[in-house]
Amino acid sequence: MSVKLNPYINFERNAREAMDFYHSVFGGNLVVSTFKDGGMPSAPADADLIMHSQLDADDNITLMASDTPPGMEFRTGGSMGISLSGNDEAKLRGYWEKLSAGGVVVMPLEKAPWGDTFGMCADRFQTNWLVNISGK
């Protein structure tokens, strides 16, 4: 594979908690490096913040994330969402249940006018998710 597009999520100071949560949702392998691990100069209180993390899970799912580096402004990504789609209804409903728990359901996961099952939610870390289960 010569090119791959995957989301990279920035968090204010809770990237570790968020990536542990996504790891519990999707499984797979999670690798985490702190600012201290990367040799980045930072205040002692920031040394254990996440400089880079990557979750590689089944179904070609890859999520990357970090805490906003010290000295940079944190901005939420309200204009962006991560879409999960396919025809494995049980798996996608399972992801939906875990991602929406403790978050906000924007549009319930239900039959859509185009024949698929579709829903939108923001998880407890305010990451927006769209789930589309292909119609039969």
Side-chain angles (χ1 to χ4, degrees):
M1 175 184 338
S2 61
V3 176
K4 181 175 182 174
L5 174 69
N6 60 271
Y8 200 109
I9 310 167
N10 290 307
F11 295 94
E12 193 164 16
R13 297 185 74 82
N14 59 348
R16 182 180 304 273
E17 180 184 0
M19 290 304 281
D20 285 344
F21 170 69
Y22 299 137
H23 188 226
S24 76
V25 170
F26 299 111
N29 183 47
L30 175 62
V31 177
V32 176
S33 299
T34 65
F35 286 106
K36 178 175 57 183
D37 295 336
M40 297 284 293
S42 62
D46 297 332
D48 290 327
L49 292 178
I50 304 305
M51 182 181 76
H52 176 73
S53 61
Q54 182 168 329
L55 173 64
D56 291 304
D58 290 342
D59 299 315
N60 203 27
I61 292 173
T62 298
L63 289 176
M64 295 179 181
S66 68
D67 286 304
T68 301
M72 290 184 71
E73 179 185 352
F74 173 73
R75 286 186 248 153
T76 58
S79 65
M80 189 114 166
I82 301 173
S83 178
L84 290 167
S85 56
N87 61 7
D88 189 331
E89 184 170 357
K91 185 175 280 188
L92 288 163
R93 282 189 182 278
Y95 291 156
W96 170 265
E97 292 301 322
K98 292 175 184 176
L99 291 166
S100 62
V104 175
V105 173
V106 176
M107 183 179 292
L109 185 64
E110 57 190 21
K111 190 77 162 180
W114 57 89
D116 294 350
T117 300
F118 179 79
M120 298 184 335
C121 69
D123 68 28
R124 61 187 178 148
F125 300 98
Q126 289 100 41
T127 300
N128 297 311
W129 293 90
L130 298 85
V131 175
N132 191 87
I133 305 167
S134 299
K136 302 231 184 296

